[in-house]
Amino acid sequence: MYDIRPPSVDWSMVTPVVLVFLTGLAGLLIEMFRPKQNNNSIVLTSLGGLAASFFVLYGQLSAEAGETLAGMVLRDRFGILLQMALVGVCFISILFSEGYLREKRIPFGEFYPLAIWSTMGGMLMVASNSLLMIFIGLEVLSISLYVLAGLSRAEQKSEESALKYLLLGSFASAFLLYGIAFVYGASGSVHLSGVVKAWATNHANTQHMLLFGMGMMLVGFGFKSALAPFHQWTPDVYQGAPTNVTGFMAAGSKIAAIGALFRVLSESVELSQAWLPALFWVAILTMVVGNFAALVQKDVKRILGYSSISNAGYILAAILAHVKAPDKIGANTIVFYLFSYAVMTLGVFAVISMNAKDGREGTRLSDLNGLWKRSPLAGGVLIVCLASLIGIPLTGGFFGKFMIFQDLLTADMTPLAIVLAVTSVVSVYYYLGIAHAAWVAEEGATPAESAPMNAGLQVACVTCLVGVFVMGIFGQPVLNMIGGIVR
Amino acid sequence: MDFKLIWLVLGLPVLGFLIQAFFGGRVISRMGAASGRKVMGWLAVLPIAGAFGAAVGITMELAKRAAEDRAVVETLFSWIRIASINVPFEVRIDPLSMTMVLIITGIGALIHLYATGYMAEEKDYSRFFTYMNLFVAFMLVLVLGNNLVLLFIGWEGVGLCSYLLIGFWYKDLANSRAANKAFIVNRIGDWGMTLGMFMIVAMIAGNLGQFQGVEGRYLSYDVVFSSTAIEIFRSNPGITTAIALLLFVGAMGKSAQFPLYIWLPDAMAGPTPVSALIHAATMVTSGVVLLNRCNVIFQLSPVASSVVCVIGAFTALFAALIAFGQTDIKKVLAYSTVSQLGYMFIACGAGAYWAGLFHVTTHAFFKALLFLGSGAVIHAMAHNQDMRNYGNLLKYLKITGWTMVIGWLAISGVAVWTFFGFAGFYSKESILGAAFGNNFASINGVNYGFYSAAVGLLVALLTSLYMTRMTMLTFFGNEERWKLIPAHSHAEHSDHAHHASHAHEHEHDHHGPDVESFFFNEEELALAHAHEDHEHHHELDENHVPHEVPTSMWMPLVILAALSVLGGFVLAQNNVFEYWLYPKGELTILGELEHHPHWHELLVGLSTVAAYGGILIGYLIYRKGLPKSEGWDLSAWNPFRRAAGNQFGYDKSMVDIGVDGGGALANFSWKVLDAKGVDGVVNGLGGISAGIGRAFGAVQSGFVRSYALLMMLGGAGLVGYLVYLLTVAQGGAR
């Protein structure tokens, strides 16, 4: 009767994602049977699963690019690299989470499956050209994060953070979905390749509709990547969420959102004459708002929230440079910067998470006073990661910013380069403010307390430290590993 | 013998330096002060003496060669390679460098030997010799290096060692100040020196195409002064003059010429062997070496040469006049050195570069002798340096006395017509003869060389006069004036006298940069004063009996005395010294210069009259000892001598302008420019930034509704802008 021929599926392309998914599932199962109050087996299973996925990804690094599952899943070097970054971020976050959660008195086993599934959502986002897949990935990522943000149930600010994130995130998702609907309406496809085809018809109404959809989608992605003016949730949510969640959110969610944004933008280069000038202003606004607003903050996590906004602005600038001159500028700057941003920001959050003790946690600048005395290693990691965030040579942050700067000049976008340089100078103030609090300022009458560093935290810190230096000193080899992703 | 031996010459002092630096203290503390110092003393002298031996061998080997290929370049390793530029670590063995090497290591070895005795009581014995050996090493690099970079390294290295040694007794504030002064004043010279060198490099770099087969050695002398380069210099006379003048600024700093001489008299704060080696025989003659090395540039610029002549002559006269007002024996010698250096520059300006170096050589003999002799006197007189406390010392210090008499005759230029003269006679004669006889140093037909020589002749008279004054006050006369100092009351007395000549410095102490206690805080100052008081324990008084110095100290005196007697005579025979440096007496560009004016005989007569006349007048004035008009009572001094004692107010005005003026300028730039201007801008910017941040913060109300509103407005704006852009684009397309 009907000749149903299911399309051939390359299951290897989805193996890493499936592995991560199963790891989360396994974690949840163990959570049900584990001995009370002991998460060790979950942690170990999670780390093992993530590591396995990481190595599968690494093995596929040089594999041929292609799509499977009717264009739902895409495999290319860019996607694999970002997936590796996501898995790595989750791995490091889990490393320092257990100790933190215990000190914070919220050692719930569900943290691990949720973080892992959130990672899975991110992995789906960065490895697909299908708008539906991207949306589903985004929702998986976000919904897990909504729960994680409210993990510290006893704390009002954690609750507030989760609720704010949920409300505004839903609002943004609505924008995104509405945009996807419009794009589908205009092009008849949820695959990004359809956008270009529809645009090529040169039909004015189609183009208007497409662009309206694009604009709506950009609002959604802008929210997720914390671009101004869709950034306002960031400091509030960062501050309220448990520190390990914030760290995971800052690094992981940023990678995923930027990855998806990059997919959408680079697939619609033909439309760029329309959206490039608009995003140009978004980038400038983001860099300015993020950096200036951070100046007057007193809470470390809030400062890092604004720092996350500024970094989104830098990366957006890098994307714009790539899109403007795709022949000359590869996407490797973006990947490199995301890598270095992930390690340096995770490093800072790992150190900050030390401040939790006996259910209480101080995250104001003054709570960091005397940190270098409490733990020289933590102090050292903090200062190195901050130096990298500032962009001081020998660190990955320097190399990344330098490359963005270079790209901007090559792409003839000097104004963005100038804003990048000037706002980077402004950022020195608040980053040094954190370093000052940890190294110079004296402790008050009652010294802030912090738990001793456990092994997981130490490993996480040292990993970030090494990562920052490796990317700063061996920037070129790392770039070669990333490869010139020129389209 | 192999020219590779030159690395031994260079390496031995470095080795000595390392031994002194790393083992000196340990050896002395382990073996005990006396024998440890003896060992380390020998370990300091031997490398220099060994270097001298090797240098003699190399020089003899060099002399065997034909005059035109007496230039050997030895490369040790490839040092700097950047793009097309190649700066090897290379030395140049030629008559000029080897002459200097012989002076540096020969005189250096003698002075090191002397210093083993002079410094025998010194606590920081090996630190002293560390610096001394290092100095010798750097000085050798300066003269031996075959490129501008090595020259510069040596130039700065000797400056560093000079600084370290002037301030050797750094606990005394005055010494530290003197060291700082030397270092800072030399920065002005270095400013010119480096600019001159950069301009040379720029000239070469601008014409790289003309240099073939030089393997990128664009800074090496054989390239910089090659015939190709000379043509480039010749076709840019203005720039060449600028280069010459800038290089001369460097020479003025290092070789203490007016207006930068002010550091050298203060440099006498260092131990006397340092004064002899660095501030008389070697380092201060670097300027003359530089002019000899770069002579083609000066030959191309009569203007610069005239400037060199005039500055040299003025310095010679000015310093000679100041010497009359000095009562400190070392200060007299210091000004005499400045004056004699002026002489050397008269020679270089007039084109007689060899005569300048000839005077460097003879001056090294007799000035080292005089300094070491004065050191012996100071040693014998309980470290009192005021000549007004001396008198009739020949009775006690036979060897020191007679050798210094020889030094005195040598610097005065005493001669028996032209048959035989002391060392100074020949070099002075050749300088004056060349300067009178040539018209190279002329601007618009005015022969500045001639006038400079005329001044030089007058200075010859003054020189023999003030040197006679020094010798008579120290060694002759019937009164032994230190016996007039009652025991226990002298401290205040001599202190006061000692400080009188420093009055201006001390005055400036109280309103210098220390107003803000920037350099020294009060504790340190108090400590320094305590230390000063401490030092005056062993003082000169009526019970004092001078004793001759030990063998290690008088031996160098005797050798130097012999050189002062014979050196000039031997080197002047058949123009041997001149032809050694400049074969056949020919210069690259100017060719052969006149050695004498046509009234040669009259000149010899005049200089003989100057030498003997000065001595005679001096004898008449000082034969009875210290005249009342130069005694302790400063108010009895005639105005000229008082002014001379104060350097005619020059040093004070320089210090006022430089230090106080600089301080005022710095205060202005701190309190007004920086605190109000820069800080204002910076703080203002910071304030504005914080304001912007607060404004952004105000939007951050914390309410979800307002966040959502902003998101919606932003989204509407974004979409609206996109659609607007598209409409514009489509409108443009149609």
Side-chain angles (χ1 to χ4, degrees):
Chain A
M1 297 240 297
Y2 297 104
D3 184 17
I4 301 174
R5 289 180 32 212
S8 68
V9 175
D10 183 352
W11 292 107
S12 74
M13 288 192 191
V14 290
T15 313
V17 181
V18 171
L19 263 177
V20 171
F21 170 70
L22 291 178
T23 308
L25 214 54
L28 207 56
L29 282 173
I30 297 171
E31 208 268 336
M32 292 160 71
F33 302 112
R34 64 169 178 168
K36 219 168 173 56
Q37 299 292 317
N38 187 342
N39 288 336
N40 289 353
S41 46
I42 308 178
V43 172
L44 286 178
T45 316
S46 305
L47 292 180
L50 288 171
S53 172
F54 189 87
F55 282 111
V56 172
L57 282 168
Y58 184 78
Q60 296 188 359
L61 201 53
S62 308
E64 207 178 327
E67 285 191 328
T68 190
L69 286 171
M72 289 285 179
V73 173
L74 167 74
R75 177 172 71 190
D76 62 359
R77 207 176 168 89
F78 180 83
I80 292 175
L81 283 166
L82 291 198
Q83 285 183 332
M84 281 167 70
L86 282 164
V87 171
V89 165
C90 190
F91 189 91
I92 297 176
S93 303
I94 289 178
L95 270 182
F96 71 86
S97 283
E98 180 59 20
Y100 170 80
L101 294 173
R102 272 194 188 286
E103 287 298 340
K104 186 100 177 166
R105 303 270 162 83
I106 43 170
F108 306 125
E110 62 262 38
F111 167 82
Y112 301 96
L114 281 172
I116 285 167
W117 286 335
S118 179
T119 305
M120 186 192 78
M123 289 169 77
L124 291 176
M125 278 171 82
V126 299
S128 176
N129 267 345
S130 162
L131 288 171
L132 273 186
M133 252 343 251
I134 292 178
F135 180 74
I136 291 171
L138 186 108
E139 286 306 308
V140 172
L141 171 82
S142 302
I143 292 170
S144 315
L145 282 178
Y146 301 152
V147 179
L148 286 177
L151 201 62
S152 182
R153 286 182 303 220
E155 275 185 313
Q156 239 177 16
K157 60 178 184 177
S158 180
E159 295 288 284
E160 178 193 335
S161 154
L163 195 61
K164 268 186 184 170
Y165 198 20
L166 170 68
L167 289 174
L168 293 169
S170 316
F171 194 48
S173 294
F175 272 98
L176 178 61
L177 200 58
Y178 199 48
I180 292 174
F182 262 83
V183 169
Y184 178 72
S187 65
S189 161
V190 288
H191 198 270
L192 278 169
S193 58
V195 174
V196 181
K197 277 188 207 136
W199 184 264
T201 57
N202 233 354
H203 196 278
N205 286 346
T206 310
Q207 289 189 340
H208 268 116
M209 205 164 148
L210 259 182
L211 209 58
F212 184 80
M214 277 288 290
M216 287 293 181
M217 277 160 58
L218 287 180
V219 174
F221 289 124
F223 173 86
K224 213 64 219 163
S225 339
L227 293 170
F230 319 111
H231 66 283
Q232 284 191 302
W233 61 275
T234 321
D236 291 12
V237 173
Y238 274 36
Q239 188 184 9
T243 305
N244 60 337
V245 175
T246 314
F248 174 70
M249 201 190 293
S253 153
K254 177 83 73 204
I255 293 172
I258 293 285
L261 181 65
F262 174 82
R263 292 274 184 218
V264 171
L265 291 183
S266 66
E267 283 300 319
S268 55
V269 171
E270 276 77 0
L271 288 69
S272 69
Q273 51 164 330
W275 52 256
L276 201 63
L279 287 185
F280 175 86
W281 289 109
V282 169
I284 290 183
L285 189 65
T286 308
M287 288 190 267
V288 170
V289 169
N291 282 307
F292 278 91
L295 289 177
V296 287
Q297 301 305 324
K298 295 277 179 278
D299 186 288
V300 183
K301 280 162 81 179
R302 246 186 127 70
I303 291 177
L304 290 168
Y306 283 109
S307 149
S308 158
I309 296 170
S310 334
N311 279 290
Y314 302 150
I315 303 173
L316 179 62
I319 296 179
L320 295 185
H322 166 67
V323 174
K324 189 166 181 203
D327 304 332
K328 281 186 276 183
I329 301 162
N332 44 8
T333 305
I334 302 159
V335 178
F336 186 92
Y337 197 86
L338 282 173
F339 276 29
S340 72
Y341 173 72
V343 284
M344 59 205 188
T345 204
L346 269 180
V348 176
F349 277 111
V351 172
I352 305 297
S353 76
M354 266 182 70
N355 260 14
K357 190 166 170 65
D358 300 334
R360 284 176 294 116
E361 183 182 11
T363 56
R364 296 180 65 80
L365 279 174
S366 53
D367 293 321
L368 286 181
N369 291 357
L371 178 77
W372 66 277
K373 263 187 266 176
R374 279 177 268 154
S375 166
L377 173 67
V381 171
L382 183 70
I383 214 158
V384 169
C385 288
L386 289 171
S388 182
L389 281 163
I390 293 172
I392 290 173
L394 282 189
T395 60
F398 164 76
F399 210 79
K401 257 188 203 169
F402 174 75
M403 287 200 307
I404 295 180
F405 196 77
Q406 207 178 23
D407 286 359
L408 288 172
L409 293 182
T410 316
D412 207 11
M413 302 177 97
T414 320
L416 277 183
I418 292 171
V419 174
L420 170 76
V422 171
T423 52
S424 289
V425 171
V426 172
S427 77
V428 173
Y429 176 81
Y430 59 82
Y431 288 132
L432 281 188
I434 301 179
H436 177 270
W439 280 85
V440 181
E442 287 300 317
E443 288 184 78
T446 49
E449 284 186 52
S450 61
M453 287 179 95
N454 58 52
L457 182 58
Q458 281 176 354
V459 174
C461 280
V462 171
T463 312
C464 294
L465 184 78
V466 171
V468 166
F469 278 129
V470 165
M471 301 192 71
I473 299 169
F474 304 106
Q476 200 54 50
V478 173
L479 270 182
N480 293 343
M481 198 273 285
I482 293 170
I485 312 164
V486 182
R487 294 184 188 219
Chain B
M1 193 181 300
D2 197 354
F3 286 114
K4 290 258 183 272
L5 216 58
I6 195 70
W7 301 118
L8 199 63
V9 176
L10 210 51
L12 279 174
V14 176
L15 184 70
F17 154 68
L18 292 174
I19 291 174
Q20 295 289 336
F22 289 107
F23 303 110
R26 263 171 254 179
V27 167
I28 290 176
S29 65
R30 191 159 305 171
M31 295 180 63
S35 49
R37 282 179 192 160
K38 194 163 273 178
V39 169
M40 289 325 287
W42 280 111
L43 283 177
V45 176
L46 284 176
I48 314 296
F52 177 69
V56 169
I58 292 168
T59 312
M60 279 156 60
E61 187 70 18
L62 190 68
K64 279 187 212 152
R65 295 189 156 209
E68 47 282 3
D69 32 82
R70 279 184 195 149
V72 181
V73 175
E74 287 286 346
T75 307
L76 184 60
F77 57 87
S78 174
W79 181 29
I80 299 174
R81 256 182 193 281
I82 307 165
S84 60
I85 296 180
N86 175 16
V87 183
F89 194 94
E90 55 184 353
V91 298
R92 181 182 186 83
I93 302 165
D94 68 359
L96 173 60
S97 64
M98 289 318 293
T99 307
M100 284 310 293
V101 168
L102 288 180
I103 295 174
I104 295 159
T105 52
I107 308 272
L110 290 177
I111 293 173
H112 273 73
L113 177 62
Y114 175 93
T116 58
Y118 189 86
M119 304 297 284
E121 305 295 316
E122 175 55 46
K123 196 158 56 65
D124 279 336
Y125 193 76
S126 56
R127 181 163 66 90
F128 178 79
F129 284 109
T130 307
Y131 296 161
M132 288 289 271
N133 280 349
L134 185 64
F135 167 77
V136 171
F138 272 127
M139 193 68 207
L140 290 173
V141 170
L142 193 164
V143 299
L144 275 171
N146 186 40
N147 53 51
L148 295 172
V149 184
L150 282 174
L151 171 78
F152 185 68
I153 298 240
W155 192 270
E156 294 302 317
V158 293
L160 168 70
C161 293
S162 162
Y163 164 79
L164 292 171
L165 284 163
I166 295 169
F168 182 73
W169 289 310
Y170 55 85
K171 283 180 184 158
D172 191 337
L173 213 54
N175 293 356
S176 305
R177 287 247 162 84
N180 285 345
K181 191 172 177 185
F183 201 77
I184 292 163
V185 172
N186 265 296
R187 297 278 72 69
I188 302 172
D190 291 349
W191 163 81
M193 160 92 175
T194 41
L195 277 189
M197 279 175 36
F198 291 156
M199 283 179 77
I200 292 180
V201 173
M203 290 285 275
I204 304 290
N207 298 281
L208 278 188
Q210 299 182 32
F211 295 92
Q212 303 296 333
V214 294
E215 295 157 12
R217 294 167 61 246
Y218 298 120
L219 304 181
S220 300
Y221 293 147
D222 33 336
V223 177
V224 171
F225 304 126
S226 63
S227 48
T228 321
I230 291 173
E231 284 317 307
I232 294 168
F233 287 128
R234 198 198 292 278
S235 53
N236 296 288
I239 296 176
T240 306
T241 297
I243 293 176
L245 287 174
L246 285 169
L247 289 177
F248 181 55
V249 170
M252 274 156 66
K254 207 53 98 214
S255 294
Q257 293 300 288
F258 187 87
L260 301 181
Y261 78 88
I262 46 175
W263 66 270
L264 185 55
D266 287 30
M268 296 303 134
T272 304
V274 173
S275 311
L277 179 62
I278 301 181
H279 304 121
T282 55
M283 185 187 83
V284 289
T285 62
S286 313
V288 184
V289 176
L290 180 71
L291 262 59
N292 267 277
R293 192 50 92 193
C294 304
N295 68 65
V296 291
I297 292 172
F298 285 85
Q299 286 181 55
L300 284 168
S301 175
V303 176
S305 294
S306 307
V307 172
V308 173
C309 259
V310 170
I311 298 268
F314 181 75
T315 308
L317 177 65
F318 192 63
L321 289 176
I322 295 173
F324 283 97
Q326 302 303 320
T327 55
D328 181 326
I329 186 169
K330 281 183 75 181
K331 284 274 159 101
V332 175
L333 290 172
Y335 285 105
S336 155
T337 304
V338 175
S339 172
Q340 298 298 310
L341 288 166
Y343 253 101
M344 298 169 199
F345 283 104
I346 297 179
C348 292
Y353 302 101
W354 77 271
L357 207 69
F358 191 18
H359 203 55
V360 168
T361 312
T362 58
H363 179 255
F365 296 157
F366 58 70
K367 189 52 68 64
L369 166 61
L370 286 167
F371 261 120
L372 295 186
S374 75
V377 171
I378 294 164
H379 193 78
M381 297 301 281
H383 288 97
N384 190 304
Q385 306 190 357
D386 198 313
M387 296 189 295
R388 288 174 293 191
N389 291 328
Y390 298 169
N392 201 21
L393 280 176
L394 197 59
K395 182 175 137 196
Y396 299 94
L397 312 172
K398 286 276 185 299
I399 304 169
T400 306
W402 285 115
T403 49
M404 271 190 86
V405 164
I406 291 170
W408 159 48
L409 297 175
I411 194 175
S412 304
V414 167
V416 185
W417 194 233
T418 54
F419 305 119
F420 178 80
F422 284 69
F425 168 75
Y426 294 98
S427 50
K428 231 177 248 188
E429 238 287 307
S430 41
I431 289 171
L432 294 180
F436 273 126
N438 290 297
N439 59 359
F440 166 57
S442 313
I443 307 176
N444 295 332
V446 183
N447 188 350
Y448 287 100
F450 187 90
Y451 297 120
S452 302
V455 173
L457 198 55
L458 172 64
V459 174
L461 173 72
L462 295 176
T463 305
S464 79
L465 184 54
Y466 70 69
M467 286 309 296
T468 309
R469 169 174 175 264
M470 188 197 94
T471 313
M472 294 296 289
L473 287 182
T474 306
F475 291 109
F476 298 99
N478 298 325
E479 9 165 39
E480 296 170 3
R481 286 185 295 276
W482 71 91
K483 296 200 170 159
L484 304 175
I485 309 173
H488 303 301
S489 74
H490 59 269
E492 179 195 7
H493 189 64
S494 68
D495 254 3
H496 176 72
H498 182 68
H499 285 185
S501 64
H502 287 284
H504 53 281
E505 283 177 20
H506 282 252
E507 197 182 338
H508 126 69
D509 281 353
H510 299 300
H511 57 81
D514 294 347
V515 173
E516 315 289 342
S517 285
F518 194 74
F519 289 145
F520 305 99
N521 62 32
E522 274 168 33
E523 261 174 66
E524 285 172 312
L525 284 170
L527 204 77
H529 284 304
H531 184 76
E532 267 176 31
D533 294 342
H534 195 67
E535 266 200 348
H536 289 290
H537 266 195
H538 180 66
E539 257 295 353
L540 197 62
D541 59 31
E542 55 189 335
N543 304 321
H544 184 79
V545 181
H547 286 296
E548 186 56 280
V549 292
T551 323
S552 62
M553 285 172 72
W554 63 252
M555 187 85 106
L557 292 180
V558 173
I559 298 171
L560 286 169
L563 287 170
S564 301
V565 176
L566 296 171
F569 177 74
V570 172
L571 292 176
Q573 292 308 306
N574 302 321
N575 294 340
V576 59
F577 192 79
E578 180 185 4
Y579 289 0
W580 162 246
L581 285 172
Y582 295 88
K584 297 186 203 145
E586 280 181 4
L587 292 174
T588 332
I589 292 155
L590 297 176
E592 196 167 352
L593 290 172
E594 290 293 332
H595 285 86
H596 304 288
H598 54 87
W599 39 279
H600 176 209
E601 315 245 306
L602 177 62
L603 175 61
V604 177
L606 283 174
S607 37
T608 313
V609 167
Y612 287 113
I615 292 175
L616 186 66
I617 298 169
Y619 172 73
L620 290 176
I621 298 175
Y622 297 103
R623 69 182 191 283
K624 285 185 185 152
L626 188 71
K628 277 251 157 34
S629 63
E630 293 181 35
W632 292 106
D633 184 5
L634 287 179
S635 59
W637 288 26
N638 66 42
F640 162 75
R641 203 176 290 279
R642 252 203 308 263
N646 287 326
Q647 308 185 37
F648 303 103
Y650 173 70
D651 184 86
K652 176 166 163 47
S653 60
M654 278 299 106
V655 169
D656 283 353
I657 295 170
V659 178
D660 297 351
L665 190 69
N667 261 329
F668 172 77
S669 65
W670 163 34
K671 287 182 176 156
V672 179
L673 290 184
D674 191 55
K676 298 227 171 89
V678 178
D679 285 8
V681 171
V682 170
N683 290 335
L685 276 177
I688 291 171
S689 304
I692 297 174
R694 262 187 289 275
F696 287 138
V699 182
Q700 193 82 18
S701 60
F703 293 118
V704 172
R705 55 176 184 268
S706 75
Y707 292 3
L709 181 66
L710 187 72
M711 267 175 75
M712 205 181 78
L713 290 178
L718 179 70
V719 172
Y721 190 47
L722 283 177
V723 173
Y724 164 77
L725 286 168
L726 179 69
T727 316
V728 170
Q730 285 175 342
R734 272 168 203 153

